[in-house]
Short mmCIF file of all heavy atoms in Angstrom, two decimals:
data_model
loop_
_atom_site.label_atom_id
_atom_site.label_comp_id
_atom_site.label_asym_id
_atom_site.label_seq_id
_atom_site.Cartn_x
_atom_site.Cartn_y
_atom_site.Cartn_z
N HIS A 271 6.80 -10.49 6.67
CA HIS A 271 8.01 -10.90 6.07
C HIS A 271 8.43 -9.99 4.87
O HIS A 271 7.58 -9.21 4.44
CB HIS A 271 7.90 -12.34 5.60
CG HIS A 271 7.87 -13.38 6.74
ND1 HIS A 271 6.65 -13.79 7.18
CD2 HIS A 271 8.82 -13.94 7.45
CE1 HIS A 271 6.87 -14.59 8.15
NE2 HIS A 271 8.18 -14.76 8.38
N SER A 272 9.66 -10.11 4.49
CA SER A 272 10.10 -9.28 3.41
C SER A 272 9.30 -9.53 2.13
O SER A 272 9.20 -8.72 1.20
CB SER A 272 11.60 -9.39 3.16
OG SER A 272 11.91 -10.72 2.93
N THR A 273 8.79 -10.76 1.97
CA THR A 273 8.02 -11.11 0.76
C THR A 273 6.71 -11.92 1.29
O THR A 273 6.76 -12.84 1.98
CB THR A 273 8.72 -12.11 -0.14
OG1 THR A 273 10.09 -11.57 -0.42
CG2 THR A 273 7.97 -12.47 -1.31
N GLU A 274 5.62 -11.11 0.93
CA GLU A 274 4.39 -11.75 1.23
C GLU A 274 3.74 -12.28 -0.05
O GLU A 274 3.58 -11.49 -1.04
CB GLU A 274 3.36 -10.74 1.88
CG GLU A 274 3.93 -10.21 3.17
CD GLU A 274 3.92 -11.27 4.34
OE1 GLU A 274 3.11 -12.23 4.28
OE2 GLU A 274 4.68 -11.13 5.30
N VAL A 275 3.24 -13.57 -0.08
CA VAL A 275 2.80 -14.13 -1.34
C VAL A 275 1.46 -14.75 -1.12
O VAL A 275 1.02 -15.33 -0.29
CB VAL A 275 3.72 -15.34 -1.80
CG1 VAL A 275 3.32 -15.94 -2.97
CG2 VAL A 275 5.28 -14.85 -1.72
N LEU A 276 0.59 -14.29 -2.17
CA LEU A 276 -0.85 -14.75 -2.10
C LEU A 276 -0.95 -15.86 -3.18
O LEU A 276 -0.51 -15.62 -4.36
CB LEU A 276 -1.83 -13.64 -2.32
CG LEU A 276 -1.89 -12.48 -1.38
CD1 LEU A 276 -2.83 -11.43 -1.70
CD2 LEU A 276 -2.10 -12.96 0.08
N VAL A 277 -1.62 -16.93 -2.91
CA VAL A 277 -1.78 -18.00 -3.81
C VAL A 277 -3.25 -18.46 -3.81
O VAL A 277 -3.82 -18.56 -2.79
CB VAL A 277 -0.91 -19.23 -3.53
CG1 VAL A 277 -1.09 -20.39 -4.51
CG2 VAL A 277 0.62 -18.86 -3.48
N ALA A 278 -3.79 -18.61 -5.06
CA ALA A 278 -5.14 -19.18 -5.24
C ALA A 278 -5.16 -20.25 -6.25
O ALA A 278 -4.53 -20.03 -7.31
CB ALA A 278 -6.17 -17.99 -5.42
N ARG A 279 -5.99 -21.15 -6.20
CA ARG A 279 -6.32 -22.11 -7.20
C ARG A 279 -7.10 -21.48 -8.37
O ARG A 279 -7.90 -20.77 -8.11
CB ARG A 279 -6.98 -23.36 -6.69
CG ARG A 279 -7.14 -24.50 -7.60
CD ARG A 279 -7.81 -25.74 -7.03
NE ARG A 279 -7.27 -26.23 -5.74
CZ ARG A 279 -6.22 -27.08 -5.49
NH1 ARG A 279 -5.67 -27.57 -6.56
NH2 ARG A 279 -5.82 -27.37 -4.31
N SER A 280 -6.65 -21.72 -9.48
CA SER A 280 -7.41 -21.28 -10.71
C SER A 280 -7.77 -22.46 -11.62
O SER A 280 -7.21 -23.56 -11.45
CB SER A 280 -6.62 -20.29 -11.52
OG SER A 280 -5.55 -20.78 -12.10
N ALA A 281 -8.43 -22.30 -12.65
CA ALA A 281 -8.87 -23.30 -13.67
C ALA A 281 -7.63 -23.86 -14.31
O ALA A 281 -7.47 -25.05 -14.66
CB ALA A 281 -9.70 -22.73 -14.70
N ASP A 282 -6.53 -23.05 -14.56
CA ASP A 282 -5.35 -23.45 -15.23
C ASP A 282 -4.10 -23.76 -14.26
O ASP A 282 -3.01 -23.94 -14.81
CB ASP A 282 -4.95 -22.40 -16.24
CG ASP A 282 -5.95 -22.10 -17.24
OD1 ASP A 282 -6.74 -22.99 -17.71
OD2 ASP A 282 -6.13 -20.93 -17.64
N GLY A 283 -4.38 -23.73 -13.07
CA GLY A 283 -3.26 -23.95 -12.04
C GLY A 283 -3.43 -23.05 -10.79
O GLY A 283 -4.46 -23.27 -10.17
N TYR A 284 -2.48 -22.23 -10.66
CA TYR A 284 -2.52 -21.37 -9.47
C TYR A 284 -2.17 -19.88 -9.78
O TYR A 284 -1.37 -19.66 -10.69
CB TYR A 284 -1.40 -21.88 -8.48
CG TYR A 284 -1.86 -23.09 -7.77
CD1 TYR A 284 -1.46 -24.30 -8.37
CD2 TYR A 284 -2.62 -23.13 -6.66
CE1 TYR A 284 -1.83 -25.53 -7.93
CE2 TYR A 284 -2.97 -24.48 -6.20
CZ TYR A 284 -2.59 -25.57 -6.75
OH TYR A 284 -3.02 -26.83 -6.16
N LEU A 285 -2.92 -18.94 -9.19
CA LEU A 285 -2.58 -17.49 -9.25
C LEU A 285 -1.64 -17.31 -8.15
O LEU A 285 -1.87 -17.68 -7.12
CB LEU A 285 -3.93 -16.81 -9.13
CG LEU A 285 -5.05 -17.15 -10.22
CD1 LEU A 285 -6.30 -16.46 -9.88
CD2 LEU A 285 -4.66 -16.89 -11.62
N VAL A 286 -0.71 -16.34 -8.47
CA VAL A 286 0.28 -15.95 -7.56
C VAL A 286 0.54 -14.46 -7.63
O VAL A 286 0.83 -14.03 -8.77
CB VAL A 286 1.65 -16.72 -7.69
CG1 VAL A 286 2.75 -16.12 -6.71
CG2 VAL A 286 1.50 -18.19 -7.54
N GLU A 287 0.51 -13.71 -6.62
CA GLU A 287 0.93 -12.29 -6.41
C GLU A 287 1.74 -12.12 -5.32
O GLU A 287 1.52 -12.71 -4.26
CB GLU A 287 -0.34 -11.42 -6.42
CG GLU A 287 -1.07 -11.42 -7.72
CD GLU A 287 -0.49 -10.74 -8.82
OE1 GLU A 287 0.66 -10.02 -8.67
OE2 GLU A 287 -0.92 -10.82 -10.06
N SER A 288 2.90 -11.53 -5.53
CA SER A 288 3.81 -11.11 -4.41
C SER A 288 3.83 -9.68 -4.09
O SER A 288 3.65 -8.81 -4.94
CB SER A 288 5.21 -11.58 -4.93
OG SER A 288 5.28 -12.97 -5.04
N TYR A 289 4.10 -9.49 -2.75
CA TYR A 289 4.16 -8.05 -2.15
C TYR A 289 5.32 -7.87 -1.28
O TYR A 289 5.74 -8.87 -0.60
CB TYR A 289 2.77 -7.80 -1.42
CG TYR A 289 1.52 -7.95 -2.21
CD1 TYR A 289 0.93 -9.23 -2.40
CD2 TYR A 289 1.09 -6.82 -2.93
CE1 TYR A 289 -0.20 -9.30 -3.30
CE2 TYR A 289 -0.14 -6.98 -3.70
CZ TYR A 289 -0.69 -8.23 -3.83
OH TYR A 289 -1.89 -8.33 -4.57
N SER A 290 5.84 -6.68 -1.28
CA SER A 290 6.84 -6.30 -0.33
C SER A 290 6.32 -6.12 1.05
O SER A 290 4.97 -6.04 1.16
CB SER A 290 7.62 -5.04 -0.77
OG SER A 290 6.74 -3.97 -0.55
N ALA A 291 7.04 -6.05 2.07
CA ALA A 291 6.44 -5.97 3.55
C ALA A 291 5.75 -4.61 3.70
O ALA A 291 4.93 -4.50 4.51
CB ALA A 291 7.55 -5.98 4.55
N SER A 292 6.09 -3.60 2.70
CA SER A 292 5.31 -2.36 2.69
C SER A 292 4.00 -2.31 2.04
O SER A 292 3.25 -1.35 1.88
CB SER A 292 6.19 -1.23 2.24
OG SER A 292 6.53 -1.48 0.86
N GLY A 293 3.69 -3.50 1.38
CA GLY A 293 2.43 -3.61 0.59
C GLY A 293 2.47 -3.32 -0.86
O GLY A 293 1.50 -3.29 -1.61
N ARG A 294 3.70 -3.16 -1.36
CA ARG A 294 3.91 -2.75 -2.75
C ARG A 294 3.91 -4.12 -3.61
O ARG A 294 4.63 -5.04 -3.24
CB ARG A 294 5.22 -2.08 -2.95
CG ARG A 294 5.33 -1.58 -4.36
CD ARG A 294 6.56 -0.56 -4.51
NE ARG A 294 6.74 -0.44 -5.90
CZ ARG A 294 8.02 -0.64 -6.51
NH1 ARG A 294 8.93 -0.99 -5.78
NH2 ARG A 294 8.03 -0.24 -7.83
N GLN A 295 3.09 -4.20 -4.58
CA GLN A 295 3.06 -5.36 -5.53
C GLN A 295 4.32 -5.49 -6.26
O GLN A 295 4.88 -4.34 -6.69
CB GLN A 295 1.82 -5.35 -6.44
CG GLN A 295 1.67 -6.62 -7.24
CD GLN A 295 0.47 -6.57 -8.17
OE1 GLN A 295 0.04 -5.49 -8.57
NE2 GLN A 295 -0.05 -7.52 -8.40
N ILE A 296 4.96 -6.69 -6.27
CA ILE A 296 6.11 -7.02 -6.98
C ILE A 296 5.71 -7.52 -8.40
O ILE A 296 5.20 -8.59 -8.43
CB ILE A 296 7.16 -7.93 -6.24
CG1 ILE A 296 7.34 -7.27 -4.87
CG2 ILE A 296 8.25 -8.08 -6.98
CD1 ILE A 296 7.95 -8.34 -3.93
N GLN A 297 6.05 -6.84 -9.44
CA GLN A 297 5.71 -7.27 -10.87
C GLN A 297 6.06 -8.66 -10.99
O GLN A 297 5.32 -9.57 -11.40
CB GLN A 297 6.29 -6.32 -11.88
CG GLN A 297 5.28 -5.36 -12.36
CD GLN A 297 5.79 -4.65 -13.54
OE1 GLN A 297 6.88 -4.90 -14.07
NE2 GLN A 297 4.98 -3.67 -14.04
N PHE A 298 7.30 -9.09 -10.87
CA PHE A 298 7.63 -10.37 -10.98
C PHE A 298 8.68 -10.73 -9.90
O PHE A 298 9.78 -10.08 -9.77
CB PHE A 298 8.24 -10.85 -12.34
CG PHE A 298 8.59 -12.32 -12.29
CD1 PHE A 298 7.49 -13.19 -12.33
CD2 PHE A 298 9.81 -12.72 -12.02
CE1 PHE A 298 7.84 -14.62 -12.27
CE2 PHE A 298 10.11 -14.08 -11.89
CZ PHE A 298 9.07 -14.98 -12.06
N CYS A 299 8.32 -11.60 -8.95
CA CYS A 299 9.15 -11.93 -7.72
C CYS A 299 9.57 -13.45 -7.91
O CYS A 299 8.70 -14.25 -7.53
CB CYS A 299 8.35 -11.62 -6.56
SG CYS A 299 9.27 -11.95 -5.08
N GLY A 300 10.78 -13.75 -8.27
CA GLY A 300 11.24 -15.00 -8.39
C GLY A 300 11.18 -15.69 -7.06
O GLY A 300 11.04 -16.94 -6.84
N HIS A 301 11.58 -14.90 -5.94
CA HIS A 301 11.49 -15.52 -4.55
C HIS A 301 10.12 -15.86 -4.31
O HIS A 301 9.98 -17.02 -3.73
CB HIS A 301 12.10 -14.45 -3.67
CG HIS A 301 12.08 -14.77 -2.32
ND1 HIS A 301 12.94 -15.80 -1.63
CD2 HIS A 301 11.40 -14.31 -1.07
CE1 HIS A 301 12.76 -15.74 -0.48
NE2 HIS A 301 11.83 -14.99 -0.10
N GLY A 302 9.23 -15.02 -4.50
CA GLY A 302 7.67 -15.40 -4.26
C GLY A 302 7.29 -16.48 -5.03
O GLY A 302 6.48 -17.44 -4.57
N ALA A 303 7.70 -16.58 -6.14
CA ALA A 303 7.31 -17.69 -7.23
C ALA A 303 7.86 -18.96 -6.63
O ALA A 303 7.14 -20.06 -6.69
CB ALA A 303 7.82 -17.47 -8.59
N LEU A 304 9.09 -18.96 -6.23
CA LEU A 304 9.75 -20.17 -5.65
C LEU A 304 9.08 -20.49 -4.35
O LEU A 304 8.74 -21.78 -4.09
CB LEU A 304 11.19 -19.91 -5.43
CG LEU A 304 12.04 -21.23 -4.95
CD1 LEU A 304 11.86 -22.36 -5.96
CD2 LEU A 304 13.50 -20.83 -4.73
N ALA A 305 8.73 -19.64 -3.46
CA ALA A 305 8.03 -20.03 -2.26
C ALA A 305 6.64 -20.57 -2.57
O ALA A 305 6.25 -21.49 -1.88
CB ALA A 305 7.86 -18.76 -1.31
N ALA A 306 5.93 -20.00 -3.42
CA ALA A 306 4.68 -20.47 -3.80
C ALA A 306 4.72 -21.88 -4.21
O ALA A 306 3.95 -22.81 -3.84
CB ALA A 306 3.96 -19.63 -4.81
N ALA A 307 5.59 -22.19 -5.09
CA ALA A 307 5.77 -23.55 -5.74
C ALA A 307 6.06 -24.54 -4.70
O ALA A 307 5.58 -25.66 -4.58
CB ALA A 307 6.88 -23.63 -6.72
N PHE A 308 6.90 -24.03 -3.81
CA PHE A 308 7.31 -25.02 -2.60
C PHE A 308 6.09 -25.33 -1.79
O PHE A 308 5.83 -26.47 -1.38
CB PHE A 308 8.46 -24.35 -1.75
CG PHE A 308 8.79 -25.19 -0.42
CD1 PHE A 308 9.61 -26.29 -0.66
CD2 PHE A 308 8.18 -24.79 0.79
CE1 PHE A 308 9.84 -27.05 0.58
CE2 PHE A 308 8.47 -25.66 1.87
CZ PHE A 308 9.35 -26.77 1.81
N VAL A 309 5.33 -24.40 -1.41
CA VAL A 309 4.11 -24.54 -0.55
C VAL A 309 3.09 -25.46 -1.31
O VAL A 309 2.57 -26.41 -0.71
CB VAL A 309 3.50 -23.27 -0.11
CG1 VAL A 309 2.13 -23.53 0.46
CG2 VAL A 309 4.48 -22.64 0.96
N VAL A 310 2.83 -25.25 -2.63
CA VAL A 310 1.87 -25.97 -3.35
C VAL A 310 2.44 -27.39 -3.45
O VAL A 310 1.52 -28.35 -3.26
CB VAL A 310 1.57 -25.43 -4.69
CG1 VAL A 310 0.74 -26.33 -5.52
CG2 VAL A 310 0.90 -24.02 -4.57
N PHE A 311 3.62 -27.61 -3.75
CA PHE A 311 4.11 -28.94 -3.91
C PHE A 311 4.11 -29.78 -2.50
O PHE A 311 3.59 -30.87 -2.52
CB PHE A 311 5.63 -29.08 -4.40
CG PHE A 311 5.80 -28.92 -5.78
CD1 PHE A 311 6.60 -27.93 -6.38
CD2 PHE A 311 5.23 -29.81 -6.69
CE1 PHE A 311 6.86 -27.97 -7.73
CE2 PHE A 311 5.31 -29.71 -8.02
CZ PHE A 311 6.25 -28.76 -8.50
N GLU A 312 4.48 -29.02 -1.49
CA GLU A 312 4.51 -29.69 -0.15
C GLU A 312 3.13 -29.87 0.54
O GLU A 312 2.87 -30.84 1.19
CB GLU A 312 5.41 -28.86 0.79
CG GLU A 312 6.86 -29.04 0.38
CD GLU A 312 7.51 -30.31 0.44
OE1 GLU A 312 7.27 -31.05 1.51
OE2 GLU A 312 8.15 -30.74 -0.56
#
Side-chain angles (χ1 to χ4, degrees):
H271 289 94
S272 59
T273 305
E274 297 289 335
V275 185
L276 300 181
V277 178
R279 190 178 304 271
S280 74
D282 299 327
Y284 292 88
L285 304 173
V286 176
E287 290 294 346
S288 298
Y289 299 86
S290 68
S292 64
R294 184 170 175 237
Q295 187 179 28
I296 304 169
Q297 261 192 0
F298 182 74
C299 180
H301 180 65
L304 186 58
F308 175 80
V309 167
V310 173
F311 276 128
E312 293 295 315

